[in-house]
Amino acid sequence: MSERPTGPAPTAADRTAPPGTPEEDSATKRARRRATAEVWIVLGLSLGQSAAYSVISLAAKLTAGRPLAQQTATLNASRSVRPYLDLVYQLADVVFTLVPVALALWLLAEGGRNAFRLIGFDVRRPWRDLAEGAVLAAVIGLPGLALYVVGRELGITAQVVASGLAPYWWAVPVLVLQAVKNAVLEEVVVVGYLVTRLRERGWTVWAVVGCSAVLRGSYHLYQGFGPFVGNAVMGVVFGLWFVRRKRVMPLVVAHTLLDVVAFVGYQLFADRLGL
């Protein structure tokens, strides 16, 4: 045990306040306010911001004078007509979009904790994570596709263009990177970080899972109401999985597989299928 350093006696703010005292109550309130502000800052820099813009985008579509089903939502849009400049933009987007993930992990590492172990974002059991991720992708993917088709038929879902890239040589590798980026960002922040933080604050399991699921659905609203419902359901499944298993890596695997199939499949076969 290390010795306490000599020097001036600690102030009241330096000491742990005795239980039940006004100092303890004040410190507890400050800690709660700080934790709340932290969550809002992380979300405001990442998917909370995306949710706000998604709501604005949906409002714009609903007031555009055309039915929602006749409008499009383009994912992975081109950033420049110059191929190599477009590539640079795409790679920069991948890098800078992952900065909030680094922030969330850094915050979870408070007190010397291993944030990667805490949320199961590691490679301790790669084959099991891959297998579980593949099963989750199948469980989520087929119903999600059916819900998209139903939404299109009901007129509550825009046409989703999963890739707006020209057929450059680098298009498929970039789409794979975009899929990994989306998976890491969403699963680490919306599941690993958010669920952990809200549980630490004493939220019930269902309140935490519901909050995470609604947030996941909200930042997909730019695609219409069908994707909101489908992604919210996905959020419930993923949230409950994480609460039970404490591992986010299978969710990252599942999400990556879903997006790779959607992005790369659209890029390669959209013209042949008349999409």
Side-chain angles (χ1 to χ4, degrees):
M1 179 181 295
S2 61
E3 295 181 356
R4 187 181 183 86
T6 60
T11 65
D14 297 323
R15 295 191 299 263
T16 301
T21 63
E23 290 83 359
E24 184 203 33
D25 293 340
S26 178
T28 300
K29 290 178 181 178
R30 287 197 301 271
R32 288 177 178 173
R33 287 196 296 269
R34 184 179 178 85
T36 300
E38 176 196 297
V39 170
W40 280 111
I41 290 169
V42 171
L43 295 183
L45 292 171
S46 57
L47 292 162
Q49 179 185 138
S50 298
Y53 279 116
S54 190
V55 171
I56 296 170
S57 178
L58 178 63
K61 286 182 172 66
L62 294 176
T63 56
R66 291 184 295 147
L68 184 59
Q70 294 180 11
Q71 301 184 57
T72 61
T74 302
L75 316 181
N76 305 300
S78 177
R79 308 295 182 89
S80 174
V81 296
R82 291 183 283 175
Y84 287 94
L85 186 58
D86 194 2
L87 173 60
V88 172
Y89 275 126
Q90 299 294 332
L91 296 178
D93 174 70
V94 171
V95 172
F96 288 111
T97 301
L98 290 176
V99 172
V101 174
L103 174 61
L105 291 169
W106 184 77
L107 292 168
L108 287 175
E110 62 182 356
R113 298 189 299 187
N114 186 322
F116 294 90
R117 288 287 184 96
L118 179 66
I119 64 173
F121 185 49
D122 53 43
V123 291
R124 285 178 292 164
R125 30 172 269 186
W127 298 115
R128 185 172 178 181
D129 288 340
L130 286 171
E132 292 177 347
V135 171
L136 284 168
V139 169
I140 295 295
L142 294 177
L145 180 60
L147 189 58
Y148 171 75
V149 172
V150 170
R152 294 285 295 152
E153 291 296 322
L154 294 177
I156 60 172
T157 298
Q159 179 182 354
V160 176
V161 178
S163 173
L165 300 180
Y168 303 130
W169 64 266
W170 49 260
V172 169
V174 162
L175 289 172
V176 172
L177 285 177
Q178 291 285 0
V180 174
K181 176 208 74 178
N182 290 346
V184 171
L185 174 66
E186 294 185 36
E187 306 315 326
V188 170
V189 173
V190 178
V191 180
Y193 169 80
L194 186 60
V195 170
T196 299
R197 274 294 189 248
L198 296 183
R199 288 292 286 161
E200 289 174 348
R201 295 200 60 197
W203 285 39
T204 66
V205 169
W206 283 108
V208 168
V209 171
C211 179
S212 176
V214 170
L215 174 60
R216 186 188 294 267
S218 296
Y219 55 76
H220 288 91
L221 270 170
Y222 70 98
Q223 300 174 14
F225 296 104
F228 168 82
V229 174
N231 280 279
V233 172
M234 176 179 173
V236 171
V237 174
F238 280 20
L240 290 174
W241 175 278
F242 179 75
V243 168
R244 181 176 180 183
R245 301 294 183 90
K246 296 294 188 297
R247 284 197 63 77
V248 81
M249 188 58 81
L251 308 182
V252 172
V253 171
H255 196 146
T256 299
L257 291 174
L258 290 170
D259 280 4
V260 166
V261 170
F263 298 169
V264 175
Y266 192 97
Q267 179 74 21
L268 296 178
F269 303 112
D271 291 340
R272 300 178 190 180
L273 298 177
L275 299 176

